[in-house]
Amino acid sequence: MASNEERLISLLDENLTIEGRNAGDPIDLDRNIAEAGVSSQDIAAFLRLVNEEFGTSISAGDCGDLLTPRSLLEYVDANAA
Amino acid sequence: MAFGVSPHGKPFARVRDRQADISFSVSHGGWHGLIAIAPGGRLGVDIEERVERRRLDLLIEAALGEEETAEVTSATGSEQLHLFFKLWTMKEALVKAHGLGMGLDATTFEIPRGMRRMDVSGTLVLPQMPDVTWRLEDLGEERFAAAIAHELAPEARP
C-alpha cells in the first residue's frame, strides 16, 4: 500500500497547480502553497479532499498552520483514521 | 519601489522603506491576467477561466454559504458553472482584499442576492468586520469570471 507521503503527493499532483512547477517535477515539501499561486478557496477545497482521503478532520481554523506539504503530511501521519 | 508582505501573505508596495499609500492586487487564470491599482483602500481581484472542475462539490463546500450552495446546486450545465465561478471570483476577491488569507472562511458570508443574479456591482459588509464596507464589481464575461473588491472610504459608504 502507498505511504501517506505518496498518497498526499499524488493528491497534490492531481488537484493543485503550483506556480513554477512543471508536471513531473518533484514537489518541494517546504514550499507554502498559499505563496505558490494557489487561491485560498482552492486550498480550502484541497484540505476537504485530504479529509476525505485520510479520514482526518482538518477545520477552517487549522488551515493556516497546514500550508506546506510537510506540515500537512505530519498532520496526516498523526491523525489519519 | 520594493515590495513587502504582511504576516498573512498580502503583498504591499514600499517606497523609501515605508509602506506606500497605494493598493494593488494581481490574479491570473488560464491565459488571462488581471491587475488592479487604487490610490487607497484595500483591494482584491480574481479571475478564473470557466472550465469544468474535477470536484465541483468540494469547491462549493469550501467556498459557498447555504443560500449560495442551494442556488448553484439547483442550476445545471453551463448555467451552474457560470454562477459558481461568478460567486467564487467575487468571494476570492473579497478574501484577497481583506488580507487575512486563510483566516477568512469564505463560507461564513454570502454575496448579496442582487449580485448573485443580474447586478454587476454592489456593496457588502462582512460579519467579521462590521465597520468596513466593500464595493464589489463583477467583471466577468462568457469565458472568464472576474471580480474586484475594494474597501470604500468612510465618506463613500452608502
Side-chain angles (χ1 to χ4, degrees):
Chain A
M1 188 178 170
S3 67
N4 285 345
E5 182 171 344
E6 288 165 336
R7 288 163 66 197
L8 184 64
I9 285 174
S10 166
L11 272 190
L12 272 161
D13 247 345
E14 290 165 10
N15 294 281
L16 294 183
T17 303
I18 305 219
E19 230 166 50
R21 176 177 173 265
N22 297 314
D25 284 356
I27 284 182
D28 179 351
L29 291 180
D30 296 308
R31 186 164 182 205
N32 184 326
I33 54 174
E35 293 167 5
V38 183
S39 80
S40 57
Q41 293 177 136
D42 272 316
I43 292 171
F46 178 70
L47 294 178
R48 280 168 167 77
L49 194 60
V50 170
N51 282 340
E52 224 179 64
E53 172 73 17
F54 295 98
T56 50
S57 50
I58 300 168
S59 67
D62 297 325
C63 292
D65 299 323
L66 300 173
L67 292 177
T68 66
R70 190 180 305 284
S71 62
L72 199 49
L73 181 60
E74 286 167 0
Y75 181 93
V76 164
D77 282 340
N79 296 285
Chain B
M1 184 190 285
F3 295 97
V5 181
S6 77
H8 294 286
K10 186 174 172 64
F12 58 85
R14 298 176 69 93
V15 175
R16 294 194 188 95
D17 284 337
R18 290 179 51 199
Q19 185 166 347
D21 289 333
I22 58 164
S23 303
F24 66 92
S25 182
V26 178
S27 177
H28 61 84
W31 293 99
H32 283 60
L34 185 58
I35 299 174
I37 301 173
R42 285 169 287 182
L43 190 64
V45 293
D46 191 44
I47 182 166
E48 300 282 343
E49 198 173 1
R50 296 186 202 272
V51 290
E52 295 282 348
R53 297 289 293 261
R54 190 190 305 225
R55 290 292 307 270
L56 191 63
D57 59 327
L58 285 180
L59 298 172
I60 289 171
E61 200 183 298
L64 304 189
E66 206 172 310
E67 279 187 26
E68 293 166 337
T69 299
E71 288 174 17
V72 169
T73 52
S74 65
T76 52
S78 63
E79 192 191 329
Q80 182 182 56
L81 214 54
H82 190 93
L83 178 59
F84 168 74
F85 278 115
K86 176 177 175 160
L87 296 176
W88 175 280
T89 50
M90 286 196 273
K91 299 189 102 173
E92 184 65 22
L94 273 164
V95 169
K96 288 173 78 173
H98 186 281
L100 281 183
M102 299 302 296
L104 178 60
D105 179 353
T107 64
T108 59
F109 63 90
E110 300 211 327
I111 299 302
R113 192 167 293 149
M115 289 201 72
R116 300 205 298 262
R117 300 197 165 103
M118 299 301 285
D119 297 352
V120 293
S121 65
T123 58
L124 174 76
V125 174
L126 297 172
Q128 297 86 344
M129 204 180 266
D131 53 338
V132 177
T133 302
W134 303 93
R135 178 179 163 77
L136 259 181
E137 196 163 340
D138 177 6
L139 307 173
E141 42 95 283
E142 197 183 323
R143 285 182 54 215
F144 284 84
I148 180 167
H150 188 205
E151 179 183 7
L152 284 180
E155 63 274 16
R157 289 176 195 161

